[in-house]
Amino acid sequence: MKPKVAFFDFTSCEGCQLDALNLDVGEVLGLLGAVDIVNFREVKTDRSDDYDIAFIEGSITKESEIPRIEAIRKQAKVLVALGACACTGGVNCLKNAYTADELLKGVYGECASYYNTIPARPVSAVVPVDAYIRGCPPTTSEFLKVVKAALLGKRPDIPNYPVCTECRIAGNVCVFQRGGTCIGPVTRAGCDALCVSSGRFCWGCRGLVDDPNTNSAKDVLARYGLTLDQILERFKIYNSYSEVSQCQK
Amino acid sequence: MPEIKIKVNQLTRVEGHGNIHLEASDGKLEKVLWEVTESPRFFEWMLKGRNYDDVSTISSRICGICSIAHTTASLQATEAAFGIKLTEQAWLLRKLLYDAELLESHVLHVLFLIAPDFLGADSVIPLVATHGDVIVMAVRMKKLAYNLAEILAGRKTHPITPIVGGWSKLPDADALRDVRERLVKCLDDAETMVAVVKSLAPMIPNFNRPTEYVALKDSKEYAFITGKIASSDGGTFPLEDYQKITNEFCVPQSSAKYTRHARASYQVGALARFNLSSEQLLPRAKKAAASLGMKAPIHNPFFISVAQAVETVHCVEDAINIIDRLLARGLHDEEVKVKPRAGRGVGIVEAPRGMLIHDYTYNDAGEIVSANCIIPTGQNHASIQHDFDALAPAILDKPVDEIRHTLEMLVRAYDPCISCSVH
Ligand code: SF4
Ligand code: SF4
């Protein structure tokens, strides 16, 4: 029996789902040969509530999304958080700087009462998560790697060192040396330092490494005459849910 | 006549969460509703206080499918606020990236999301067995669009290199040469796609509802990221006056706002662009439109997907032309200098699904004071509802499954980007 796979979207831009499937023809056929996709609203009409592996995209930002994710957790043997919104809360958590009232009145004016919102949170803040596919969006190769590991019942081999390591392998000139700021020193690698290699800097979309060396990060900042506050604003873009407080410790 | 109750929860093969609700008895329609239930995300508030250098990074996350469109609208809004003009090279690259956006999105919509409706399948997956050639071709076209975007922008979803005032890194000329060769072959694929659409066209429901069509229009070219706002009901408007067109308002059944202008609703998207600018299509796209018997104005919303197929040919032609120009002039590193200043800037582009507006006000330090974003599907929700109001009574005598399916198809024809419209 092929494992039954389901995709579910919560609050998000839905880019991860479609990007995950940006595969070559061979890969598509390989994947379809290995699993049964039984639930995938964005691509497929028929749906079934009998599945083994659930991919969750998006953060939890509405009261009604809580029972929905709990029901999925109950059914799924393996629950995978797909993308930054699901893994760390992602950009959605930027709204948590405001109260629901400020947001609803600010955007919807007098119709505010039609709608509701709760502080945005990653999936793991509501139910246990078995595996993470990080990034905004994740890379296709990491998606395939995690799927293969999940099928074999193994732990995927995801880097637990900072983006800086991959950045050096890529031969980039360090952003700090170019006079900018970069979250690479505390961000989990796995993207081949894509943004730095594209002439920019790391925004930290893959979340913190497990044991971020915040002291050495502070050293880097001190060396270049920067304070933590100066880079925290940027760090918050993807990590304002919980990790900012961790970093400030 | 029996009672009819249709409730489609979370319509499939569209981006985001929307429901269809119909009730009728004794052959009389009591209610037909297009409901948007997506969670609001409040991007306009997220952008407050952000430095201009991070703004397009955040706002591109409004939509994963049309993130290049959001990036472009966002950059153009910031550039308008700061009074920045792009160099010719930077501008050509931006237009080329935009062709990748439309190519990918249209192929995805027409061949993966819409085609199953016409072929009696629930998704593209069973079509792999029955229509393998077309699916392999569609995957090839999508992959090409992704690769073109990767060469230019680092990646397709949430581009990295386009920045305020230009590019953080230029593409490699050899990579452009290679992708050009694939684009030339892709012209044949795009024409095959048109032929596929033509073979399905007899199944398109015969439904016409003339309405107002709104799109960017440019005197020099088929407009995607240039021009002024134009309405088929008359008049052109400068970008800064977009609110005279959009007139947003709330309705309880939708967490996305509605818009209206000259009539109760207006339509944006590929058909609106075709209706306003079809004479400016590039030659092979014009031929494709003629082969489909398309002549503006077309008032059948199901033809949005047909117009997308025509635009697909146009984008491939356009991309080849731009690469030729870039290679002929050579790629040169250009320093990007940005001097923030206080002020307002409006950026409007034609996203795959229609007119997309980003409007920012900055302070002296280059931080956003206030932001407003209006999304194409937000403008189309009212049009979908008014189509429902006209279409449903006309098909009430059909079997329930057929009524449901026709309403679902109508929504899908708009290629709605629901989570994006709630932003
Ligand atoms: S700080 Fe940023 S630019 Fe520097 S090495 Fe680390 S990831 Fe690369
Ligand atoms: S470089 Fe940083 S921001 Fe860019 S993809 Fe990698 S982790 Fe994400």
Side-chain angles (χ1 to χ4, degrees):
Chain A
M1 272 284 275
K2 290 198 258 180
K4 300 190 192 78
V5 169
F7 287 81
F8 297 100
D9 41 68
F10 286 78
T11 303
S12 69
C13 78
E14 298 195 11
C16 298
Q17 290 180 53
L18 287 178
D19 247 37
L21 295 188
N22 173 37
L23 307 168
D24 289 318
V25 176
E27 292 166 336
V28 175
L29 297 178
L31 187 68
L32 291 177
V35 302
D36 262 335
I37 298 181
V38 298
N39 207 321
F40 196 162
R41 190 197 47 76
E42 201 169 339
V43 210
K44 183 175 187 313
T45 296
D46 293 347
R47 30 191 149 181
S48 146
D49 287 326
D50 176 19
Y51 44 83
D52 308 304
I53 305 178
F55 288 94
I56 310 295
E57 186 194 48
S59 334
I60 310 300
T61 75
K62 265 204 312 201
E63 212 57 80
S64 60
E65 291 176 335
I66 295 176
R68 187 171 162 234
I69 188 73
E70 284 169 347
I72 295 169
R73 174 69 272 188
K74 228 169 146 194
Q75 167 63 34
K77 296 194 186 83
V78 181
L79 186 143
V80 186
L82 174 62
C85 295
C87 293
T88 66
V91 294
N92 294 312
C93 296
L94 285 174
K95 85 176 177 66
N96 296 354
Y98 304 92
T99 64
D101 204 46
E102 279 174 304
L103 293 166
L104 291 165
K105 289 217 174 93
V107 170
Y108 293 105
E110 52 202 52
C111 320
S113 62
Y114 296 169
Y115 316 107
N116 66 75
T117 187
I118 57 173
R121 58 200 73 175
V123 173
S124 61
V126 185
V127 296
V129 169
D130 302 312
Y132 295 88
I133 308 182
R134 293 170 183 276
C136 182
T139 64
T140 309
S141 58
E142 196 160 290
F143 171 75
L144 282 180
K145 200 194 261 181
V146 175
V147 173
K148 279 180 198 153
L151 292 178
L152 297 169
K154 285 195 180 149
R155 259 188 181 283
D157 175 25
I158 303 299
N160 193 9
Y161 45 79
V163 170
C164 289
T165 310
E166 288 180 339
C167 195
R168 295 207 179 97
I169 297 171
N172 296 323
V173 177
C174 178
V175 174
F176 288 107
Q177 272 172 27
R178 304 196 314 242
T181 54
C182 180
I183 320 294
V186 289
T187 302
R188 182 187 303 263
C191 59
D192 293 330
L194 181 62
C195 299
V196 189
S197 304
S198 302
R200 304 224 63 198
F201 41 78
C202 175
W203 281 268
C205 82
R206 295 174 54 85
L208 283 180
V209 280
D210 273 348
D211 198 6
N213 190 341
T214 43
N215 283 333
S216 101
K218 280 178 191 156
D219 288 349
V220 175
L221 296 177
R223 191 162 356 120
Y224 293 99
L226 298 158
T227 63
L228 199 54
D229 280 347
Q230 281 173 298
I231 89 168
L232 269 183
E233 266 314 302
R234 188 163 272 157
F235 191 54
K236 276 187 203 156
I237 293 177
Y238 293 105
N239 300 286
S240 63
Y241 181 71
S242 63
E243 284 145 346
V244 169
S245 48
Q246 254 191 58
C247 187
Q248 271 167 331
K249 265 186 226 158
Chain B
M1 273 228 197
E3 239 186 299
I4 306 176
K5 269 199 166 98
I6 294 176
K7 181 96 202 183
V8 179
N9 271 324
Q10 298 206 353
L11 175 66
T12 59
R13 279 188 278 126
V14 296
E15 204 260 13
H17 300 157
N19 303 336
I20 298 170
H21 197 169
L22 178 145
E23 282 172 27
S25 60
D26 292 331
K28 273 229 324 263
L29 182 69
E30 275 153 14
K31 141 179 189 176
V32 59
L33 271 187
W34 167 236
E35 300 170 335
V36 175
T37 58
E38 189 74 33
S39 329
R41 285 186 296 161
F42 307 101
F43 270 88
E44 282 123 339
W45 253 243
M46 292 182 199
L47 287 171
K48 277 180 198 261
R50 295 287 143 197
N51 184 276
Y52 74 89
D53 207 17
D54 292 329
V55 166
S56 71
T57 299
I58 298 172
S59 62
S60 79
R61 267 75 189 175
I62 292 175
C63 182
I65 303 181
C66 45
S67 60
I68 291 174
H70 280 279
T71 300
T72 310
S74 174
L75 295 175
Q76 292 188 185
T78 301
E79 285 154 1
F82 295 171
I84 296 173
K85 286 231 166 352
L86 287 191
T87 64
E88 191 196 2
Q89 170 180 284
W91 185 241
L92 286 172
L93 288 167
R94 199 171 276 179
K95 293 220 257 198
L96 180 57
L97 179 62
Y98 215 80
D99 285 327
E101 171 82 322
L102 285 144
L103 174 60
E104 196 270 340
S105 183
H106 285 354
V107 170
L108 174 72
H109 183 240
V110 174
L111 295 176
F112 288 7
L113 305 183
I114 289 284
D117 271 334
F118 290 91
L119 299 170
D122 93 298
S123 79
V124 69
I125 299 169
L127 301 184
V128 175
T130 53
H131 297 75
D133 288 355
V134 175
I135 301 306
V136 168
M137 178 189 87
V139 172
R140 180 166 64 227
M141 293 174 82
K142 246 173 72 64
K143 199 80 196 179
L144 171 58
Y146 261 87
N147 291 153
L148 177 57
E150 275 158 13
I151 291 166
L152 294 164
R155 65 183 167 213
K156 160 80 180 64
T157 305
H158 308 320
I160 304 163
T161 58
I163 55 175
V164 176
W167 296 79
S168 67
K169 189 178 172 193
L170 292 181
D172 177 66
D174 286 334
L176 281 184
R177 248 173 242 121
D178 288 348
V179 87
R180 184 192 185 280
E181 269 178 43
R182 289 166 65 195
L183 281 163
V184 170
K185 293 197 188 111
C186 185
L187 260 182
D188 295 337
D189 283 349
E191 282 168 354
T192 306
M193 175 174 163
V194 169
V196 170
V197 169
K198 191 175 176 187
S199 71
L200 301 177
M203 287 187 269
I204 293 178
N206 181 14
F207 168 66
N208 286 285
R209 187 180 73 89
T211 185
E212 181 183 10
Y213 299 90
V214 176
L216 287 181
K217 182 147 178 70
D218 190 318
S219 55
K220 293 193 219 65
E221 62 193 49
Y222 192 87
F224 287 131
I225 62 174
T226 58
K228 291 189 174 148
I229 305 169
S231 157
S232 60
D233 280 6
T236 55
F237 302 78
L239 303 187
E240 296 72 32
D241 285 353
Y242 71 87
Q243 275 156 322
K244 289 191 183 144
I245 296 273
T246 54
N247 304 301
E248 284 187 304
F249 61 103
C250 299
V251 289
Q253 75 266 30
S254 165
S255 45
K257 293 176 196 169
Y258 274 28
T259 59
R260 69 175 153 227
H261 178 238
R263 313 187 194 196
S265 66
Y266 62 85
Q267 193 190 112
V268 297
L271 190 60
R273 292 191 287 263
F274 181 86
N275 281 345
L276 285 155
S277 304
S278 62
E279 73 286 354
Q280 288 163 304
L281 285 164
L282 291 171
R284 291 180 73 157
K286 250 192 201 151
K287 258 173 79 186
S291 79
L292 290 160
M294 286 180 78
K295 218 175 146 297
I298 292 172
H299 296 133
N300 182 344
F302 291 95
F303 269 74
I304 296 170
S305 334
V306 184
Q308 287 173 324
V310 171
E311 284 192 346
T312 304
V313 180
H314 174 90
C315 289
V316 179
E317 281 181 283
D318 192 50
I320 296 169
N321 295 345
I322 294 177
I323 294 180
D324 286 343
R325 277 176 72 185
L326 282 166
L327 291 174
R329 60 199 301 290
L331 290 158
H332 308 281
D333 277 322
E334 295 174 329
E335 206 190 330
V336 179
K337 280 208 199 91
V338 177
K339 239 184 108 209
R341 67 176 193 206
R344 174 182 177 219
V346 176
I348 305 189
V349 301
E350 283 293 324
R353 299 153 188 81
M355 198 166 77
L356 166 65
I357 302 155
H358 283 228
D359 173 3
Y360 304 147
T361 304
Y362 279 99
N363 64 18
D364 279 331
E367 292 157 353
I368 291 214
V369 179
S370 69
N372 188 24
C373 304
I374 301 184
I375 314 296
T377 297
Q379 296 163 79
N380 275 336
H381 283 313
S383 190
I384 296 174
Q385 179 63 50
H386 285 277
D387 282 350
F388 269 18
D389 295 340
L391 176 62
I395 55 173
L396 268 191
D397 55 339
K398 308 265 190 232
V400 175
D401 278 348
E402 195 180 326
I403 301 173
R404 177 191 304 112
H405 191 231
T406 309
L407 296 179
E408 288 188 357
M409 277 174 70
L410 179 98
V411 179
R412 279 192 204 109
Y414 279 85
D415 192 8
C417 211
I418 303 170
S419 53
C420 184
S421 70
V422 177
H423 57 287

